[in-house]
Amino acid sequence: MAEPHRVSLRAEQLTVGYGERDVLQGVDVPLPSGQITAIVGANACGKSTLLRTFARLLKPTAGTVLLDGAEIHTLPTREVAQRLGFLPQSPVPPEGLTVEDLVHRGRFPHQKLGRRTSAEDRAKVDWALTATGVEDLRARPLDQLSGGQRQRAWIAMALAQDTPTLLLDEPTTYLDLAHQLEVLDLLVDLNEQGRTIGIVLHDLNHACRYAHHLVAMKSGRVYAAGAPGEIVDETLVKQVFGLDSRVIPDPVTGTPMCVPIGRTVSKLREPA
Amino acid sequence: MTRRAAAFAAAGVALALLAGLLDIAQGQGDVPLGDVWGALFNRGDSLHDALVWDIRLPRAAAGIVAGFALAGAAVVLQALTRNPLAEPATLGLTAGGALAVTLVAAFASLAPGAPTIAVAFVGVLGGTLLIGTMAAAGGGGVRLILAGMAVGLALAAGTAAVRLARETETSGLFLWGAGSLLQNGWGPLQAGVLIGTPALLGVLALTRALDVAVLGESTARALGLRTGVTQLAAVTLAAVLTAVAVGLTGPIAFVGILAGGLARAARPRGHLGALAVALPWGAAILLAADVAGRAITGLDTETPAGVVCALIGAPVLVLVARRLRGEVGSALETRASAARWRPKAALVALAVLPLAIVGSLCLGEIRIGPGEVLSSLFGTGSPLGEIALESRAPRLAVALLGGACLAASGTVLQAAVRNPFAGPELAGVVGGASVGAFLVLLVFPDAPTLVLPFAAFAGALLAMALVLALAGGSSPTRLALVGLAITAACSAVTMLMLLHAQPAAATAITWLTGSTYAASWSDFRLLAVPALVLLPLVILAIRRLDVLMLDDDLSRALGLQTSRTRAALLAAGAALGAASVAVCGAIAFVGLLAPHAARLLAGGNHRRALPMAMTLGALLLGLADTVGRTVFAPTEIPSGLIVSLIGAPYLAILLWRSRTA
């Protein structure tokens, strides 16, 4: 890499706790601008907490999150919403909404009190519907969509918000394999148009394939961060997920691919 | 049983015994303590002995039987719904029983004991069916409790209306209706024991099935439980136990929640252990409430145990709500819903409104034609038409505006707490308004009636402020629970005031039932002023409502200051409801149903749904007013009762259909 990437969103010495327990213990995580950053780790390692603190939804007990150099918690809510989009894990839509209704709500931070929907609002909504491939479904009620379609509608809503940075909390949960890849490919498309993307992922192999930058977390701390090809090896998988594995190059992309070894696998291999 | 559970159970038994002895020592008739003691062990023929044996002992025994029944029913219901807040009262079951008993007592005669319990059982079953459809419709968690509360309030409104219509026939039910352990002899008790014991044994036999049932339906079925049969048996047993309690002591709330909560705190291994803790504690709580009620206000004007239980239970519920982390039952599946934007149907609803207005003005003692109405409206009609309009127009106007305000209030509150079962009741509005109005009736019986709406409005705003102060804007679940607690406390206080002010009671109950009777243009102006201030505010906030509906994290990520906005919207919505309740009385259901129906016609966007809800609310209350004053003329039926009669089946059908969808 010739020059270090500009960073628009960065956590510095971030400590976040619920009550007595500190979930994040002084982490430094930059989200490189114009890249896809994936945050991975075992359950309850603090990866969702990190993402939610990035999105200004949780207040740190110590340390800060900087958005374009300014402390995010001192910025007005609406201003943050114009620069930073966030999609929570499997949100439940209110009843009686069409896809288009939902996507329109993403325009909220750009709308003034009492002002009617503008031409720009409509243009951005159309663009978001097209970009996510749900324009044919725009008049369909959300409750009639498949899981993959609905997830794309939610992403379209976050896109209509028209922010340079987009954070997503496990957007592939509850989707089948084809739909998972569909969502991830969509994120790559969006990234190629210049968006910075931060994403929490369950699947390490997906993260290795799709992310430029990987943050591996372990019990509230950053275990390793960097390009997947540079940091992912068998030691990392053992340390972060507590799992023995073989890490081989992905036959399709060449990125690291983790093949887990369970407790009983070696026994099965033994000749009878 | 674990050692901890055994200790809890033993403490419950000891407390129940202590409270029982105190109850007997304290009761009616001036009997020296020594004589009480003597009479207990050796019954003679003296008056004291008779007092102890035929009045005091049955009363204490009623506490034990009803306490067992309520606690047993609560343990079963909590297991079935997997909800720690479930119990006969929060699910609307006791209100169903009370309505059935009041109805039969009002229009026929009803002997205490087995007949009363049987009638109560029918009512409880009705309540069970309603709430069962709601549970099946996917209304778990706090949704279910709110639904139960709505059903309970509506049924209670029905009970109040029946009482009002048949004041003399139901006067004997006054103390019972507030939940009292008072007994006249052993007869009803024997019936209660004969019916309750097999039901309780049935519950004991069912405990192992319940242990499995709480794991969830599919898991339970995989473990070999016949879930359908188990649920049917459990619901039936809970209904029988509830009926026994209602039949003996009237509708009493919170005993089940408290006893069930203590049983969970004891961490028993299964439901057998839970029952061993809950049953004695149920009796102990009920008896202690009875003792406290008489200790506080003296024997002559005793405070019924039901009122004491509500006053103890409400703060406990607030504490539970404040300690809540996260949401109860918020992880709902995305369900198929019939809510859509249907332009044609919406247009029809809008077109019906002016027709209904003219139609309503035509009907009455003097019938006039539509042409006459229109010309009279513009001041060119005949004297006859103008006379007819003079009384009809203002009350219809009040009904229309009141209905629209209630509907707007419900729409805002439902969006703010993201719960389709929320209504103005939720923010404590109805309860607070009742307390305010009653307080004035009690303290200043001669005050002009014009003061009532102001007192009610002040009471409603105070109750709402209390709910917001205790719950904040942070969590919809917490808000719902605190609202429930404040409402329960308010109705207990109302009941207490009713008992102490019999003469003013009739006026108060008329008001409580909700009526547009004799409304004048000055009433309309009273309502129009807050409506003109608040409705534009709500309309300006339509986009905020849309965003708030999504999800807390999401709406914050979209730039909305979620807590502050929710609190502000709740305040505006509750104030709208308060204004309407202050002028029209405590009308249930409009604020719940109109927004619901509006979503079916206009979909989930508030730009369309809010005006539609207001139209439907106006139609509903306008219709209720017209029917109330014409169908049984010259006898008036309170519009609140008519709304409840329309609302309850609507809700049931709606939920039933959403279950099968």
Side-chain angles (χ1 to χ4, degrees):
Chain A
M1 238 168 271
E3 52 176 335
H5 280 269
R6 207 166 50 83
V7 168
S8 58
L9 195 59
R10 165 198 293 282
E12 283 184 350
Q13 284 301 311
L14 196 65
T15 302
V16 182
Y18 301 107
E20 313 252 301
R21 203 167 57 94
D22 277 343
V23 180
L24 292 180
Q25 300 167 359
V27 298
D28 287 290
V29 179
L31 289 194
S33 185
Q35 293 201 344
I36 297 181
T37 300
I39 305 169
V40 296
N43 288 339
C45 69
K47 53 188 194 295
S48 277
T49 303
L50 176 61
L51 199 75
R52 283 160 54 83
T53 316
F54 267 136
R56 197 178 170 270
L57 295 170
L58 294 174
K59 213 176 165 140
T61 42
T64 51
V65 172
L66 297 177
L67 176 61
D68 298 327
E71 263 191 58
I72 201 168
H73 283 90
T74 62
L75 296 173
T77 311
R78 187 168 280 245
E79 206 183 309
V80 173
Q82 288 169 357
R83 295 199 240 164
L84 188 66
F86 171 74
L87 192 61
Q89 192 184 346
S90 42
V92 178
E95 62 170 348
L97 286 196
T98 63
V99 172
E100 192 176 356
D101 288 339
L102 181 71
V103 178
H104 258 291
R105 293 192 182 176
R107 294 302 298 163
F108 180 76
H110 303 280
Q111 292 170 323
K112 296 226 167 60
L113 191 67
R115 200 75 61 79
R116 291 183 62 85
T117 309
S118 69
E120 194 197 345
D121 289 339
R122 262 185 285 269
K124 292 288 182 199
V125 168
D126 285 344
W127 170 78
L129 288 167
T130 315
T132 50
V134 289
E135 73 270 38
D136 295 339
L137 307 170
R138 65 192 302 159
R140 286 271 289 280
L142 283 169
D143 47 44
Q144 286 181 1
L145 302 186
S146 73
Q149 291 170 327
R150 196 179 302 140
Q151 188 62 342
R152 279 189 287 159
W154 279 109
I155 294 175
M157 191 219 71
L159 269 190
Q161 200 173 338
D162 195 26
T163 55
T165 305
L166 191 56
L167 304 175
L168 302 100
D169 194 356
E170 298 199 16
T172 54
T173 319
Y174 303 128
L175 299 183
D176 63 38
L177 198 53
H179 284 124
Q180 289 180 22
L181 292 190
E182 194 177 287
V183 165
L184 291 167
D185 283 334
L186 171 63
L187 295 181
V188 171
D189 291 343
L190 295 172
N191 170 250
E192 281 169 0
Q193 294 163 11
R195 274 187 177 65
T196 306
I197 289 178
I199 178 171
V200 168
L201 280 179
H202 233 96
D203 189 318
L204 182 61
N205 290 338
H206 284 168
C208 289
R209 249 193 196 188
Y210 285 91
H212 306 108
H213 187 74
L214 195 72
V215 178
M217 299 199 48
K218 188 191 177 186
S219 8
R221 294 176 199 281
V222 175
Y223 173 78
E230 289 165 15
I231 63 164
V232 175
D233 55 21
E234 282 152 21
T235 329
L236 179 134
V237 177
K238 178 72 184 167
Q239 285 297 318
V240 171
F241 293 96
L243 185 70
D244 288 321
S245 68
R246 222 29 90 61
V247 174
I248 55 172
D250 186 321
V252 179
T253 58
T255 51
M257 187 169 90
C258 161
V259 181
I261 307 169
R263 186 173 52 81
T264 52
V265 169
S266 50
K267 280 185 209 158
L268 293 175
R269 284 266 177 80
E270 278 168 19
Chain B
M1 204 193 285
T2 60
R3 193 177 280 177
R4 184 184 166 92
F8 266 76
V13 171
L15 253 171
L17 281 175
L18 180 68
L21 285 176
L22 279 175
D23 199 68
I24 296 167
Q26 173 199 34
Q28 293 100 329
D30 201 8
V31 186
L33 212 53
D35 285 13
V36 174
W37 202 245
L40 273 183
F41 291 102
N42 186 12
R43 179 173 185 172
D45 295 327
S46 76
L47 177 65
H48 284 174
D49 289 11
L51 271 175
V52 169
W53 274 89
D54 294 332
I55 293 186
R56 292 188 178 193
L57 271 179
R59 182 167 182 141
I64 294 171
V65 175
F68 272 34
L70 287 172
V75 167
V76 172
L77 292 170
Q78 291 178 1
L80 276 182
T81 57
R82 299 203 279 162
N83 188 330
L85 298 171
E87 66 139 39
T90 47
L91 295 182
L93 308 189
T94 50
L99 176 59
V101 169
T102 311
L103 260 178
V104 174
F107 294 99
S109 67
L110 187 59
T116 307
I117 293 175
V119 169
F121 180 68
V122 173
V124 170
L125 268 192
T128 312
L129 282 181
L130 262 178
I131 206 72
T133 51
M134 294 189 189
V142 169
R143 265 181 183 228
L144 187 67
I145 299 300
L146 276 185
M149 176 176 148
V151 169
L153 281 173
L155 294 173
T159 308
V162 171
R163 276 212 197 134
L164 187 67
R166 293 267 172 168
E167 228 179 318
T168 36
E169 290 87 343
T170 55
S171 60
L173 292 178
F174 211 80
L175 212 53
W176 173 88
S180 167
L181 300 190
L182 188 66
Q183 299 293 317
N184 290 315
W186 288 97
L189 260 174
Q190 280 169 354
V193 171
L194 275 178
I195 300 167
T197 309
L200 214 49
L201 289 176
V203 171
L204 286 176
L206 213 61
T207 49
R208 191 158 286 164
L210 289 179
D211 291 344
V212 178
V214 289
L215 300 176
E217 180 141 357
S218 10
T219 315
R221 201 168 282 173
L223 286 170
L225 187 72
R226 290 162 68 196
T227 49
V229 179
T230 308
Q231 281 170 0
L232 191 68
V235 164
T236 313
L237 291 173
V240 172
L241 288 173
T242 306
V244 168
V246 172
L248 285 180
T249 59
I252 293 182
F254 288 118
V255 173
I257 288 189
L258 292 173
L262 281 162
R264 258 192 317 285
R267 282 186 241 123
R269 283 215 190 87
H271 284 86
L272 192 64
L275 277 176
V277 177
L279 293 184
W281 273 103
I285 293 165
L286 199 47
L287 284 168
D290 194 42
V291 172
R294 288 186 295 189
I296 296 164
T297 43
L299 293 180
D300 299 331
T301 56
E302 69 171 67
T303 306
V307 171
V308 178
C309 284
L311 290 177
I312 299 169
V316 172
L317 195 55
V318 170
L319 281 180
V320 170
R322 288 174 65 91
R323 280 182 51 193
L324 259 185
R325 280 196 176 280
E327 305 293 309
V328 176
S330 65
L332 291 165
E333 287 289 298
T334 307
R335 305 176 48 79
S337 144
R340 298 278 180 276
W341 167 230
R342 304 173 207 274
K344 277 185 208 152
L347 211 65
V348 169
L350 285 176
V352 165
L353 187 61
L355 294 180
I357 292 174
V358 174
S360 162
L361 292 176
C362 290
L363 296 173
E365 255 173 85
I366 316 165
R367 292 230 168 140
I368 52 177
E372 181 70 41
V373 167
L374 287 177
S375 53
S376 298
L377 278 180
F378 297 105
T380 55
S382 67
L384 185 71
E386 290 190 0
I387 289 168
L389 280 194
E390 219 165 275
S391 65
R392 290 173 203 171
R395 56 182 293 176
L396 183 64
V398 167
L400 293 173
L401 186 58
C405 285
L406 281 173
S409 166
T411 306
V412 171
L413 293 174
Q414 290 181 5
V417 302
R418 233 174 280 125
N419 192 319
F421 292 114
E425 304 84 2
L426 172 91
V429 166
V430 176
S434 311
V435 172
F438 279 32
L439 202 62
V440 167
L441 283 172
L442 191 75
V443 181
F444 308 105
D446 304 323
T449 40
L450 189 67
V451 179
L452 270 188
F454 288 100
F457 191 63
L461 288 189
L462 271 179
M464 176 198 80
L466 193 60
V467 170
L468 281 180
L470 286 172
S474 55
S475 145
T477 304
R478 193 184 289 179
L479 263 166
L481 292 181
V482 172
L484 182 70
I486 298 293
T487 303
C490 283
S491 70
V493 171
T494 310
M495 188 57 86
L496 203 57
M497 292 198 279
L498 260 180
L499 287 170
H500 287 269
Q502 293 280 7
T507 330
I509 294 182
T510 313
W511 181 84
L512 194 63
T513 322
S515 181
T516 37
Y517 174 68
S520 65
W521 285 118
S522 69
D523 290 323
F524 181 75
R525 277 192 290 276
L526 271 183
L527 184 54
V529 172
L532 280 177
V533 175
L534 293 165
L535 284 176
L537 281 180
V538 171
I539 289 166
L540 264 182
I542 276 182
R543 266 197 202 120
R544 284 172 167 66
L545 285 175
D546 278 346
V547 171
L548 204 56
M549 273 302 272
L550 291 176
D551 173 292
D552 265 15
D553 281 356
L554 210 63
S555 51
R556 219 167 297 160
L558 284 172
L560 193 72
Q561 294 182 322
T562 314
S563 297
R564 199 186 298 172
T565 311
R566 180 182 289 124
L569 281 171
L570 272 173
L576 265 176
S580 175
V581 168
V583 176
C584 308
I587 291 176
F589 266 130
V590 177
L592 176 71
L593 292 192
H596 226 266
R599 276 195 294 277
L600 292 184
L601 298 182
N605 265 346
H606 287 96
R607 186 161 45 92
R608 301 195 189 102
L610 180 70
M612 180 52 64
M614 288 170 61
T615 310
L616 294 178
L619 262 177
L620 185 55
L621 203 52
L623 181 76
D625 173 66
T626 311
V627 171
R629 78 183 157 81
T630 52
V631 171
F632 287 110
T635 308
E636 280 262 350
I637 316 170
S639 13
L641 177 59
I642 295 173
V643 172
S644 293
L645 287 179
I646 301 170
Y650 172 89
L651 198 63
I653 292 169
L654 199 83
L655 288 159
W656 183 251
R657 285 188 43 184
S658 67
R659 187 197 73 100
T660 46

